[in-house]
Structures are given as structure tokens and as C-alpha cells.
Amino acid sequence: MSVWDDLVGQRAVLDTLRHAAAGEGMTHAWLFTGPPGSGRSNVARAFAAALQCETRTGCGECEPCRLGISGSHPDIKWVRSETSVLYVDDMRDLVQAAAKFPSVGRWQIVVIEDADRLGTPENPRTGNALLKAIEEPTPRTVWLLCAPTRADVLPTIASRSRHVTLATPTGEQITDFLVRSGIDATVASFAARASQGHIGRARALCVDEGTRSRRREIVSLPARLTGIGSCMTAATHLNELAKVETEAITAETEQRELKDLQSIFGSERKDLASRSYRAALSSLEKLQKQKAKRRVLDVIDRALMDLVSVYRDAIALSMGAPGMLVNEELRGDVETLARAATSEELLRMIDAIFTAREQMLEFNVPPQLALESMMVALRLPAGRR
């Protein structure tokens, strides 16, 4: 089994990367872009492993391939941000470490999963810390950057990287992949539709009843938005769902981080007057709050995309489009929406969802306020329900 086998719907891209791993068209910086779920990080992981492969093919059998795919290769560094930004001090440290020669592999590889969090044109400090390393690369260092679009990355960095655009896998491709992974065909077909091209989401929908249950709650909201009271209730419910899911995900990690910190300081932490321990604890708590806030926003963002799928289904019904709906199991609710609102009104509702998304992610509007405003905009027109 090669390192490329789990990558779905990216045949053209994989041909380019295979040639580069073999030495044809190789460069020091790569930018992988594609919509959420297209597999940016998975493609970067496979490419990193192939670059270290003993046969330069990504065979999946040699030790460098196995270490690369598992994330434990000593010459492949992973940068993942669980907060809203990547910090400049961390990037400076990373640039210094990346300048060293590889210890066992052919390349010193750095994978930045969230290159869109390197800064903005108005505040490019973190990106500037990386820019010089990309402008004047060391001969054995490779940077692999991942972002949703080229526009999400600082222009100075994007222009110095080879751009690779990933495609959104089709429903058929995802279904086939899930079936080959041992998933029942009916469940795989549902997950492929509901995930809207997001492979990781499709897997979760197949194996986790909690994920399926939360999605059912979200996509059933539009047909219930008949008054101001129901809109306020829906906004609060969605916000609370995101918080509960975040707490379930982060609780164990936060406890482990606290124990690790206490272990480092040992008996010193018992001295409440210890400035160093109090400072370290305060820094950890601040970081954990930032990560939890980002996680809540990520969970809400995913829910908003599920909501969008319902309104797109309603437009498809209104226009008489053939084929199954994304939310085929909710066809009755979708028909209610299609009767209650015109296609133009449904488009405005989709726009309201994206407006709320922008308010939360770009302008730091509190989720509860953004969701309340959005839900009111999604209220079904009176007299046509």
C-alpha cells in the first residue's frame, strides 16, 4: 500500500507530486489549497513521506514512508494552530530549526497546516518571520503550506511557492472509498452526501452516532423557524451544542496539559508565591481559552455549512433539478422551505448564513449575537408556511 492510496479524487495532483518526489520539478516551497475536506493535510503528509522515501516513489513499505505517514519522522515537522493565529515567536523558532540539515532523511520538511493563520496584509508579522526562509531557502529544507485558497495566504509567501490546487472529491468517489474501508454501502452513500465532499466529516458520520445526531438537530432547524421565539431558541441551542461538543473534545487534552505543567514544576508548584509557576499556569490557561474559542467557532462553522445544504436543497427543488438531495432523508422539510420561500428569498437566507460566518470568524462578533441575527433572517415568511 503506497502513501498515496488514501487520497480521494486527486489524481492529477498526485501525478505532479509523484514526479516531484522522484526529482522532476522539485522546489523548496509548496502551497496546497482546496476547500475544507479536500484533504490538504493528507496530501501534504503523503508528499512529505514520499520525499523521504528510500525509493523516491512513496512506496509505503520502507521505514521513512511509515514514519512519515504516522507523523513520527524526525525530519518532518508539523505545525498545527488550534488558535486563531500562528504566533511570530513560534515561527521564528521554527525557521531556525528548519535551517538545520536533516538528521536521517533526505530533506528537512516543515508542514504548516494553517498557513492562512500566518497573518494578514495589515498585520503580517508572523508571515514575515517565515518569508526570509522561503526567499533564501537552505538547500535541504522544504516548506509545505496548506490553506483554503491562495488569497488566504500572504501574497509575498504565495508568490514564492509552487501552487497546487486540490479538487473536491465527488460523492461517488467518497462512497467508493468508504465502502473499500469496510463501511456499509447505504451508510457510505448517506455520509458522502451529507459531508458535501469533506472526507473526514464523512468518516465521522459513518462511525459516530453522536456526530450523526448533532447533524440531524442542525438540519432540522430551518423548518422550525416560524417566529422570533423559535429563532432565539434555535440560536441558543446551536451555540450550546457547539460548546458541549468543544468541551467533550478539549477536556481530556486540557487535563493532560495541566498535569504535564505540574510535572515540570514538581514541588515548586505548591509554593503559591512561585512566580515562574504562576506565570506558566496563567500562560497555559490563556492558551487553552484561545483554543477552546477557536474550536467553538470551528464547530459552529461546520453547522452553518450543514444549514446551507438545506437551503441549497430547497432551491434545487424549486428549480426542478434532478437527482437526490443532500438531505434526502429530510425531503419533507425541504419541500416546506421550497413552498414557503422563493428562490430569491432562499438565496438571501444563504447570504445571511455566510454573513454570520464572516461576523464570527473575521470580525470577532460574539457567536450568540451573530447566530440570533442570522436565525431571524432565516425565519419563514408569514402566510406561506
Side-chain angles (χ1 to χ4, degrees):
M1 181 176 179
S2 77
V3 299
W4 315 106
D5 288 350
D6 282 346
L7 304 179
V8 182
Q10 310 297 343
R11 178 174 297 178
V13 167
L14 298 189
D15 288 342
T16 297
L17 299 183
R18 285 193 181 98
H19 287 134
E24 302 174 24
M26 185 58 192
T27 188
H28 68 286
W30 296 73
L31 173 59
F32 299 100
T33 65
S38 59
R40 298 186 300 260
S41 298
N42 291 336
V43 169
R45 181 187 296 272
F47 186 39
L51 288 174
Q52 305 288 20
C53 176
E54 292 177 352
T55 65
R56 302 192 179 193
T57 63
C59 66
E61 301 297 330
C62 66
E63 184 177 16
C65 278
R66 293 197 301 270
L67 292 175
I69 287 297
S70 68
S72 55
H73 195 290
D75 293 321
I76 302 177
K77 295 178 174 61
W78 284 83
V79 181
R80 303 177 179 91
S81 175
E82 296 183 85
T83 58
S84 298
V85 296
L86 290 162
Y87 294 101
V88 63
D89 290 340
D90 295 335
M91 190 55 57
R92 286 171 178 158
D93 293 341
L94 181 65
V95 167
Q96 291 180 356
K100 300 176 182 178
F101 273 74
S103 57
V104 297
R106 295 187 5 250
W107 302 96
Q108 183 75 260
I109 301 173
V110 182
V111 183
I112 301 181
E113 287 194 5
D114 306 294
D116 51 311
R117 300 183 191 179
L118 285 169
T120 65
E122 296 77 21
N123 185 22
R125 290 185 63 212
T126 305
N128 286 342
L130 171 62
L131 180 59
K132 186 172 179 60
I134 292 182
E135 285 182 323
E136 302 174 8
T138 53
R140 302 283 294 278
T141 302
V142 178
W143 295 87
L144 306 181
L145 314 177
C146 304
T149 69
R150 184 185 178 94
D152 291 317
V153 180
L154 291 172
T156 50
I157 292 177
S159 64
R160 291 163 175 80
S161 307
R162 183 171 179 181
H163 187 198
V164 177
T165 303
L166 306 184
T168 300
T170 66
E172 292 76 11
Q173 289 171 330
I174 295 177
T175 299
D176 180 65
F177 172 73
L178 294 172
V179 170
R180 285 189 283 110
S181 302
I183 304 297
D184 175 77
T186 301
V187 175
S189 178
F190 155 75
R193 283 188 290 103
S195 69
Q196 302 178 76
H198 195 303
I199 300 168
R201 177 75 164 155
R203 282 172 167 160
L205 287 168
C206 286
V207 302
D208 183 26
E209 175 57 34
T211 299
R212 292 193 294 271
S213 176
R214 284 189 292 271
R215 186 183 185 280
R216 281 195 298 270
E217 290 188 60
I218 298 302
V219 296
S220 66
L221 289 175
R224 303 205 302 265
L225 301 177
T226 57
I228 294 296
S230 61
C231 291
M232 297 297 104
T233 299
T236 300
H237 184 56
L238 177 51
N239 196 25
E240 290 303 317
L241 273 179
K243 290 179 180 178
V244 169
E245 183 172 345
T246 297
E247 289 172 1
I249 295 171
T250 60
E252 184 177 345
T253 300
E254 290 180 352
Q255 291 177 2
R256 184 176 66 252
E257 291 172 342
L258 179 59
K259 288 181 180 178
D260 290 344
L261 179 66
Q262 293 172 340
S263 177
I264 291 172
F265 280 86
S267 59
E268 183 181 353
R269 67 183 173 84
K270 298 178 182 178
D271 181 5
L272 296 179
S274 171
R275 290 186 178 180
S276 57
Y277 175 67
R278 284 188 288 123
L281 180 60
S282 176
S283 178
L284 175 62
E285 291 173 343
K286 180 180 178 181
L287 181 60
Q288 288 178 338
K289 287 180 180 178
Q290 290 174 332
K291 291 194 292 186
K293 178 182 177 182
R294 181 68 204 194
R295 173 66 73 172
V296 167
L297 291 177
D298 287 343
V299 173
I300 291 176
D301 188 40
R302 187 181 65 218
L304 295 184
M305 294 305 99
D306 286 334
L307 280 178
V308 167
S309 72
V310 180
Y311 291 97
R312 285 177 175 164
D313 278 347
I315 293 174
L317 274 184
S318 297
M319 303 301 292
M324 294 183 69
L325 305 176
V326 171
N327 301 282
E328 186 64 37
E329 67 282 358
L330 287 177
R331 180 174 281 269
D333 285 356
V334 175
E335 289 173 345
T336 298
L337 286 179
R339 288 193 301 268
T342 66
S343 296
E344 290 78 11
E345 289 170 331
L346 292 169
L347 284 172
R348 284 196 290 271
M349 292 174 182
I350 291 176
D351 185 59
I353 296 173
F354 281 104
T355 297
R357 182 176 187 268
E358 184 179 24
Q359 288 174 339
M360 289 182 284
L361 296 179
E362 302 296 333
F363 299 107
N364 206 29
V365 173
Q368 183 69 30
L369 294 180
L371 291 175
E372 287 177 356
S373 177
M374 180 195 78
M375 292 298 181
V376 171
L378 299 182
R379 184 174 51 160
L380 296 179
R384 285 186 276 160
R385 299 163 192 162

